[in-house]
Amino acid sequence: MTERSAGRSRRAVVIPASMVLTTALAFLPGSANAAPAEAAGTTASAMTTTAASGEKLSYVVNVRPGQASSSAMKKAISKAGGTIVETYDQIGVIVAHSGDAYFAEKIRKVRGVDSAGSTRTAPLPAQGTTDTGAPKLLTAEQAKAAAQQADSDEDPLQPLQWDLPAIKADKAHEKSLGSDRVTVAVIDTGVDDTHPDIAPNFDRKASVNCVTGKPDTADGAWRPSAQESPHGTHVAGEIAAAKNGVGVTGVAPGVKVSGIKVSTEAGFFYTEAVVCGFIWAAEHGVEVTNNSYYTDPWYFNCTDDPDQKALVEAITRATRYAERKGAVNVAAAGNENYDLAADSITDPVSPNDSTPVEREIDPSECFDIPTQLPGVVTVSATGAKGLKSSFSNYGLGVVDIAAPGGDSTAYQPPAPPATSGLILGPLPGGGYGYMAGTSMASPHVAGVAALIKSTHPTASPKVVKALLEQQADDQACQDPYDIDGDGQADAVCEGGKSYNGFYGAGIADALDAVRK
């Protein structure tokens, strides 16, 4: 949301080779790293051979306004060897498939085309996968012990939710639970709307499956299968789990939540799906979107590459359109503990759907999308002690605000009766479990934004974002930041108490959000 500051850090940051998606758990000390599974498919350099053999790739074609559905553009795409999957005239984006290795090169030469590029390096369907780990399940004994300690006005598992008082959500609920006229869209892996903590607040009309880039409105299409990640369900519960005497309580338990499924069964979030998700949210009256992922296959999309430039352009158009239609877009900063304002970052994991090739990028020119796009609220994570989570990305002028995302219990243990430094939330099938990551921080901010919108129904996205920052509680830098206590600084925080690279404008405040 904020502009990048002119004085960026001079330190180069190296991303660990075991890096996982923002959507994944933060792999904490004492747990095994879940490295990306060996991805089958083609390398970037072998894309031409793959496409030439007849295996199709997916593309976005960005055209000038009003031309997406024109007969001339349809003919041009067909002539170049493409088949149209969906057109988004609102923003001039066309989703197309082609088995012609030179499709993008051909279509870029067509009059009226601003940019075009492949959204993946593996053929359709994606052959690779990334192991995102598994949540730590809450046992029946733990649930029973928590329920015995819950106050009469608390849901049974609320004593384990240290994250709610960390942003004063428990106090906020005494004044307001939020309005059922406000909907937060969870653009993610899918949401299990049958979960007893989510069902009361689920907005079916604003839910959809966008995985192919074309909306699938079949009943339940937004739900994850048993083999897919529970991530989206956990995120939805953090935002709006009902205060209904069951399980956990969300940050905004009176608002609505919708599920917009954009990840493939293999766990990839491709551009065409993300574009579809933002457009669907915009057209269905959503007030807030939560985005706890990065858009595959490139962790950073460099605008000097024609394919990656097209992906940045397509999603930028989509996020801006959603904001123009009234939505505040909130996104996770990432889980690699690197400085997004550094002069250079070594990215060894892109493209992640075939064979990665190590490259050094400038994060002011190569973007994590949608996290680093203009207007998007970028969220870093804090642990139970209120410090930056050991894994959380940061960066002066990049991070806008911070919120609980959990951390190793050894680093930041919560106050009793909570026992885990991770974030508790619902899981598909009616269960509950702990997860951690900036993926868990972002929905806390989305929930606070929903409370602000509930309190100020006519507020524009610009006003809601301004209130998020104004109401945030200042959090100063730690110098040195030595989260593991080994005598070595684990990250360097730049800036003052009211605004810095670790926490942006501060920690989100739910209580101020419900005050008139």
Side-chain angles (χ1 to χ4, degrees):
M1 182 170 67
T2 51
E3 295 297 323
R4 189 182 309 278
S5 62
R8 303 201 333 270
S9 168
R10 305 297 301 178
R11 296 175 300 106
V13 179
V14 179
I15 302 175
S18 60
M19 185 181 74
V20 293
L21 295 179
T22 302
T23 55
L25 300 181
F27 295 103
L28 304 168
S31 65
N33 278 359
E38 197 67 34
T42 59
T43 64
S45 61
M47 272 176 56
T48 299
T49 303
T50 299
S53 70
E55 292 178 303
K56 291 184 177 181
L57 295 178
S58 182
Y59 296 83
V60 286
V61 181
N62 302 312
V63 302
R64 295 169 191 170
Q67 295 189 359
S69 293
S70 70
S71 59
M73 191 59 64
K74 290 178 180 178
K75 289 179 181 178
I77 287 175
S78 178
K79 184 177 180 180
T83 302
I84 293 176
V85 175
E86 186 73 354
T87 59
Y88 293 100
D89 286 336
Q90 307 97 317
I91 58 174
V93 174
I94 302 169
V95 178
H97 290 170
S98 179
D100 187 329
Y102 301 99
F103 172 75
E105 184 178 339
K106 292 176 181 178
I107 202 66
R108 288 177 194 134
K109 297 176 182 177
V110 172
R111 184 177 181 179
V113 173
D114 292 331
S115 60
S118 173
T119 69
R120 63 193 71 201
T121 61
L124 293 167
Q127 299 298 308
T129 187
T130 297
D131 185 359
T132 59
K136 181 181 178 182
L137 299 179
L138 187 74
T139 67
E141 292 76 14
Q142 291 169 330
K144 183 178 179 180
Q148 290 174 344
Q149 299 184 70
D151 293 337
S152 58
D153 61 343
E154 291 183 327
D155 280 344
L157 301 182
Q158 193 170 333
L160 302 178
Q161 294 182 268
W162 59 265
D163 49 307
L164 295 184
I167 59 170
K168 306 173 194 170
D170 53 338
K171 298 297 183 184
H173 297 165
E174 296 174 6
K175 294 181 174 293
S176 173
L177 302 179
S179 170
D180 62 5
R181 295 184 178 182
V182 173
T183 294
V184 180
V186 176
I187 302 178
D188 213 297
T189 64
V191 174
D192 178 10
D193 58 303
T194 68
H195 194 290
D197 247 343
I198 295 175
N201 291 334
F202 195 72
D203 187 340
R204 297 170 71 89
K205 292 182 179 179
S207 299
V208 72
N209 184 315
C210 270
V211 173
T212 66
K214 182 182 180 68
D216 176 0
T217 58
D219 187 57
W222 52 79
R223 296 175 193 144
S225 69
Q227 292 73 40
E228 291 180 289
S229 170
H231 189 273
T233 301
H234 197 281
V235 166
E238 290 177 59
I239 296 168
K243 198 170 182 64
N244 58 352
V246 175
V248 296
T249 301
V251 172
V255 307
K256 295 293 185 182
V257 65
S258 72
I260 299 180
K261 186 177 182 179
V262 297
S263 73
T264 68
E265 289 188 1
F268 291 105
F269 293 69
Y270 285 122
T271 296
E272 63 270 30
V274 174
V275 167
C276 171
F278 279 113
I279 299 302
W280 183 269
E283 298 293 354
H284 288 79
V286 166
E287 284 79 12
V288 183
T289 71
N290 185 81
N291 305 271
S292 292
Y293 58 89
Y294 75 81
T295 306
D296 300 299
W298 308 97
Y299 194 98
F300 296 96
N301 295 265
C302 298
T303 53
D304 61 354
D305 177 276
D307 284 301
Q308 294 165 45
K309 176 183 177 181
L311 310 188
V312 173
E313 177 64 25
I315 295 182
T316 298
R317 292 185 183 190
T319 58
R320 284 177 168 167
Y321 181 75
E323 186 168 355
R324 288 198 301 272
K325 295 288 282 187
V328 176
N329 300 312
V330 182
N335 300 338
E336 291 69 52
N337 188 35
Y338 58 80
D339 186 351
L340 288 172
D343 286 339
S344 63
I345 292 174
T346 300
D347 171 14
V349 300
S350 300
N352 65 6
D353 63 349
S354 54
T355 302
V357 178
E358 185 172 296
R359 59 182 182 155
E360 185 173 325
I361 63 93
D362 179 347
S364 69
E365 298 179 356
C366 301
F367 306 110
D368 174 354
I369 54 177
T371 295
Q372 289 179 273
L373 294 182
V376 174
V377 180
T378 304
V379 185
S380 63
T382 57
K385 295 297 183 184
L387 305 179
K388 184 187 87 70
S389 301
S390 56
F391 52 78
S392 180
N393 290 349
Y394 57 99
L396 185 63
V398 180
V399 168
D400 295 305
I401 195 168
D407 203 351
S408 166
T409 308
Y411 292 170
Q412 300 196 59
T419 58
S420 173
L422 312 187
I423 305 297
L424 184 62
L427 301 177
Y432 297 87
Y434 289 100
M435 298 180 78
T438 55
S439 282
M440 280 63 252
S442 181
H444 283 77
V445 173
V448 173
L451 292 177
I452 292 174
K453 186 66 176 178
S454 299
T455 306
H456 306 281
T458 62
S460 67
K462 182 177 180 179
V463 170
V464 172
K465 290 188 290 185
L467 288 172
L468 270 173
E469 291 195 356
Q470 291 170 13
Q471 294 172 353
D473 295 329
D474 291 349
Q475 176 76 318
C477 291
Q478 291 75 51
D479 185 19
Y481 173 78
D482 179 15
I483 196 70
D484 57 8
D486 66 356
Q488 300 292 322
D490 297 303
V492 176
C493 181
E494 298 177 325
K497 181 179 180 181
S498 61
Y499 185 80
N500 57 62
F502 276 12
Y503 311 106
I507 311 296
D509 189 323
L511 180 56
D512 280 352
V514 300
R515 289 172 171 161
K516 295 291 186 180

